[in-house]
Structure formats: C-alpha cells, structure tokens
C-alpha cells in the first residue's frame, strides 16, 4: 500500500472515530504531498520524494516543539507532540546511534576522509543511505566527531 493510500485510509478511519487532531495532521501531510507533486509537475511522487516530504514535516514539528517549549507555550507543545506521534507512524524505523555510527565509519573509510574539510564528501555518501532513518543533526555530529 502506497503512502497516499495509507493516508487516505487512515484519514477515513480518523473521521469515523472523530479523532480531530489526527485527522488534521493527516490532512496537512496529504496536502504537503499533493503540493509537492503539483510543484514537480508529477501525478505521483516516488517513495523517496514522499519520504523527503515526511522528513521535512517532522523536522518542522520538532523545530516548532523546541520553540514552543522555550517560550513556555504548553498548550502548543501538547498539540505539536500529538502531531509528531501521528507523523512517526508513517516514518521508517529510526536507526540507533550505534547503527548510524557504523554507517558513518564505513562512509569515512570509503571516501578516505581524514580532516574536517572532507565532511561534505562523507555527508554526500551517508545522507542518501540514512534519509528518513536518522536525524540529520545526529549524523552531522557523528561525522564531525570522527573527522576531528
């Protein structure tokens, strides 16, 4: 089942069970997917493009969560946390820090990187492998640690 089909089915289920917050989040994701398809001039997005959009939505929510927490907006923190829980259901399983470290180590060995100036080479190899499976900030931090 494609992501679009799964979202549509979950949207119908959320309507039936009157889960307003879940329904709103699913609609926002569907809208983002449709907008991206229109922007790219495509009828359907590839799995990778869908994952990119989901990752972007998740990153936006996490950024908003940090902002609202620092501003003591507890009402908005709860709303964003609920949206994150809904989005996580559609994201691939997140890799542990150890698994990410193994991939980073392999990429460093593959590229022959040895200095911080080689970070771009390593990130170019690592990011396609870990897209949507690990947080970009974690990946960035691990690569920096290895190259320093």
């Amino acid at each position: 089942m494609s992501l679009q089909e799964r979202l549509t089915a979950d949207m119908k289920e959320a309507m039936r069970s009157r889960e307003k917050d879940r329904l709103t989040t699913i609609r926002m994701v569907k809208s983002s997917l449709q907008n991206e398809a229109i922007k790219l001039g495509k009828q359907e997005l590839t799995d990778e493009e869908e994952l990119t959009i989901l990752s972007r939505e998740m990153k936006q929510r996490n950024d908003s969560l940090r902002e609202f927490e620092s501003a003591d907006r507890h009402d908005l923190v709860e709303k964003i946390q609920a949206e994150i829980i809904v989005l996580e259901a559609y994201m691939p399983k997140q890799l542990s820090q150890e698994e990410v470290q193994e991939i980073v180590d392999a990429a460093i060995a593959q590229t022959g990187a040895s200095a911080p100036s080689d970070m771009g080479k390593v990130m170019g190899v690592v990011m396609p492998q870990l897209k949507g499976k690990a947080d970009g900030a974690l990946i960035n931090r691990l690569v920096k640690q290895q190259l320093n």
Side-chain angles (χ1 to χ4, degrees):
M1 178 184 289
S2 77
L3 179 62
Q4 284 282 12
E5 292 168 344
R6 196 168 148 213
L7 285 167
T8 300
D10 289 351
M11 189 172 76
K12 289 176 185 176
E13 181 186 317
M15 281 185 215
R16 284 187 202 108
S17 59
R18 301 190 195 301
E19 297 174 78
K20 185 180 175 193
D21 293 336
R22 184 168 174 239
L23 177 62
T24 303
T25 304
I26 292 170
R27 281 183 172 155
M28 279 192 285
V29 172
K30 278 186 64 82
S31 175
S32 293
L33 291 168
Q34 288 172 335
N35 288 340
E36 189 71 17
I38 290 167
K39 184 172 129 184
L40 296 174
K42 294 183 173 183
Q43 196 71 338
E44 282 193 33
L45 297 172
T46 65
D47 290 343
E48 186 175 316
E49 291 167 334
E50 290 175 343
L51 182 58
T52 300
I53 295 163
L54 273 177
S55 297
R56 184 184 322 139
E57 292 290 321
M58 185 66 95
K59 183 176 181 342
Q60 287 173 352
R61 300 303 184 297
N62 285 323
D63 291 346
S64 296
L65 182 63
R66 281 191 287 280
E67 291 291 320
F68 294 147
E69 284 174 340
S70 67
D72 283 334
R73 292 294 310 266
H74 301 292
D75 54 330
L76 296 174
V77 167
E78 291 174 16
K79 180 180 181 290
I80 293 294
Q81 286 173 334
E83 289 179 8
I84 289 172
I85 290 169
V86 172
L87 285 174
E88 284 175 342
Y90 302 103
M91 295 291 292
K93 179 186 167 287
Q94 297 292 296
L95 297 176
S96 68
Q97 183 170 338
E98 292 78 26
E99 293 169 316
V100 174
Q101 185 67 55
E102 288 174 21
I103 293 171
V104 168
D105 291 342
I108 289 173
Q110 177 186 340
T111 60
S114 59
S117 61
D118 297 328
M119 188 167 172
K121 285 189 228 174
V122 176
M123 292 298 280
V125 171
V126 171
M127 289 309 288
Q129 295 176 38
L130 296 177
K131 187 174 220 153
K133 297 177 186 171
D135 180 42
L138 170 67
I139 298 166
N140 193 335
R141 184 171 48 82
L142 292 175
V143 170
K144 277 184 182 175
Q145 285 176 352
Q146 290 298 106
L147 294 178
N148 284 333

